[in-house]
Amino acid sequence: MSKRRSFLKSATVLGAATLLHQTSWGNESFAKTKVKPKKLSPGDTIGLVAPGFAIKLEELYLAVDTLEKMGFKTFYTDRIKGNYGYFSNTDEERAADLNEMFANPDIDAILCARGGYGCTRILGMLDYDAIEENPKALIGFSDITALINTIYKKTGLVGFHGPVGKTLDDEYSKDYFRKVLMEPQEILPIKNAILKDPKQYRNSEYYRYTITPGVAQGELIGGSLTLVTAMIGTPYELDFTDKLVFLEDVEEAPYRMDRMLTQLSEVDSFVKAKGIIFGVCKGCDRKRTTENFTLREVIMDRISPLNIPAVYGMSFGHIPQNSTLPIGIEASFNAYKKQLRLLEAAVSQ
């Protein structure tokens, strides 16, 4: 049977397979073997999806232009151009787009064109059988946190917390995209970006500091603090035990960060994490007043009592310099030196 016919056959059973998964998974936890997607090479085709908020056409075309200049071919369906309230399309259509991208043998990797709310609404509609049978890199950040962590939990497939299509045009971001996805190495230091913009290095949100000193090693999981917290108490809740947990957020006032970190600190598995790594929480700091705390005060107050090696200010998040961090890959972390190293290749040769 040809690859094309296999794709068509697979696409016709997406809905039925999805329903089976909704009933078979429930709240149970299954240990899956880690699966690494194949490395990307020039000439590969990257499928673009918008599983959350609607994307503007100029943002879509910017993503296409950036990827093509990097040597890739691109593909997207008309679903990505839809508009259903604040979503790019209905839940069913957004899920179908992602399912078909995995099932389509002509697609080598999937890049989310943008983030935005909506990914948690489609987790129960994904065809995890098709994803497991057609492993390929899924890349994105922000609300894409829900997708890459859930897919790893359900299938063992390594996903990538990295730039979305509309933010990939930064040189630092492209550099780590290439290093992680195209140039697999057994040991890869994730070096922080050199801040050249005065608006950044004078901004307290970009300051790098140790919360709790120490060294740790474990698998990387995490992403958006809002999404990580939103999945608590659901079948998609992350298990932080013995993991290196990386977190970031955007435009959340200190009291809201306080609330989410307080909730996390009450999760049994979170206090068993090996390390906690904050990126840049852009737009989350406020001036210290008698009626307000700073972002740093909140983070220190909530995280330091856990006595887990922790740091703030690494180069990832809703910022131009967004490194690519693979979910499920073993890494080492030195909180005092603010160093993170991947200890295995994230993609297969």
Side-chain angles (χ1 to χ4, degrees):
M1 184 181 291
S2 70
K3 290 172 70 178
R4 176 61 64 184
R5 288 173 62 198
S6 296
F7 163 60
L8 292 174
K9 178 182 177 182
S10 179
T12 61
V13 298
L14 290 179
T18 298
L19 290 175
L20 287 173
H21 261 287
Q22 287 177 336
T23 56
S24 64
W25 276 101
N27 290 309
E28 297 179 4
S29 177
F30 293 82
K32 286 287 184 175
T33 301
K34 186 186 302 181
V35 178
K36 298 178 181 180
K38 73 167 188 174
K39 76 170 185 176
L40 292 178
S41 301
D44 282 349
T45 299
I46 295 183
L48 289 162
V49 295
F53 276 175
I55 186 167
K56 298 176 181 178
L57 288 182
E58 56 266 30
E59 294 172 335
L60 174 61
Y61 299 149
L62 171 63
V64 169
D65 183 63
T66 300
L67 289 168
E68 291 182 350
K69 287 179 179 176
M70 293 175 68
F72 298 112
K73 299 174 184 176
T74 58
F75 174 82
Y76 54 85
T77 72
D78 286 340
R79 293 188 183 99
I80 200 173
K81 298 180 181 180
N83 185 260
Y84 183 71
Y86 34 73
F87 300 123
S88 68
N89 218 309
T90 64
D91 292 349
E92 292 77 11
E93 290 296 290
R94 299 196 318 280
D97 214 25
L98 190 56
N99 285 333
E100 290 182 16
M101 287 291 183
F102 272 105
N104 188 341
D106 296 326
I107 302 299
D108 298 293
I110 306 164
L111 178 65
C112 297
R114 68 155 299 166
Y117 172 67
C119 294
T120 53
R121 291 173 58 115
I122 66 172
L123 293 178
M125 300 178 180
L126 298 184
D127 184 347
Y128 295 102
D129 277 341
I131 293 171
E132 195 167 6
E133 293 168 4
N134 300 278
K136 56 190 71 173
L138 173 64
I139 311 117
F141 77 111
S142 192
D143 281 54
I144 312 307
T145 293
L147 297 176
I148 55 179
N149 283 279
T150 298
I151 287 173
Y152 178 67
K153 178 179 180 178
K154 297 280 197 180
T155 71
L157 176 62
V158 173
F160 299 85
H161 183 278
V164 293
K166 72 173 191 173
T167 67
L168 186 56
D169 56 341
D170 172 77
E171 287 305 316
Y172 174 88
S173 299
K174 284 191 287 189
D175 183 42
Y176 275 97
F177 184 97
R178 293 189 185 98
K179 286 178 178 178
V180 174
L181 288 156
M182 302 178 70
E183 304 165 2
Q185 304 173 45
E186 292 302 319
I187 303 292
L188 176 63
I190 306 293
K191 297 180 180 179
N192 284 318
I194 298 174
L195 301 180
K196 299 178 181 180
D197 185 346
K199 293 181 180 179
Q200 290 183 335
Y201 66 72
R202 293 174 184 170
N203 185 339
S204 60
E205 294 163 353
Y206 284 84
Y207 292 172
R208 295 168 184 153
Y209 53 87
T210 298
I211 301 164
T212 305
V215 295
Q217 182 174 323
E219 289 184 356
L220 287 166
I221 63 168
S224 162
L225 174 61
T226 296
L227 268 293
V228 167
T229 306
M231 290 191 288
I232 292 173
T234 75
Y236 313 107
E237 177 177 333
L238 279 63
D239 183 357
F240 306 100
T241 305
D242 295 331
K243 303 295 196 301
L244 294 182
V245 183
F246 62 91
L247 300 166
E248 63 84 26
D249 222 312
V250 61
E251 300 296 340
E252 297 286 357
Y255 81 91
R256 295 171 65 91
M257 296 290 287
D258 187 328
R259 184 189 66 208
M260 290 186 284
L261 293 175
T262 297
Q263 183 179 1
L264 263 186
S265 67
E266 296 295 326
V267 176
D268 289 342
S269 70
F270 187 73
V271 299
K272 299 174 184 176
K274 287 291 185 68
I276 303 171
I277 306 163
F278 283 91
V280 175
C281 296
K282 185 179 178 182
C284 296
D285 201 8
R286 301 292 187 273
K287 290 183 179 180
R288 180 65 162 95
T289 69
T290 56
E291 299 176 349
N292 195 40
F293 294 110
T294 65
L295 173 65
R296 182 169 181 165
E297 287 176 314
V298 167
I299 289 176
M300 295 295 291
D301 179 75
R302 296 290 80 193
I303 299 300
S304 58
L306 302 178
N307 200 30
I308 298 170
V311 72
Y312 174 88
M314 306 291 277
S315 295
F316 65 88
H318 287 73
I319 55 175
Q321 304 91 353
N322 192 0
S323 58
T324 296
L325 302 177
I327 301 294
I329 290 299
E330 193 79 9
S332 64
F333 167 56
N334 186 316
Y336 180 75
K337 295 183 178 180
K338 308 174 191 66
Q339 293 177 344
L340 177 65
R341 292 194 307 167
L342 304 185
L343 299 180
E344 58 177 317
V347 290
S348 62
Q349 295 283 1

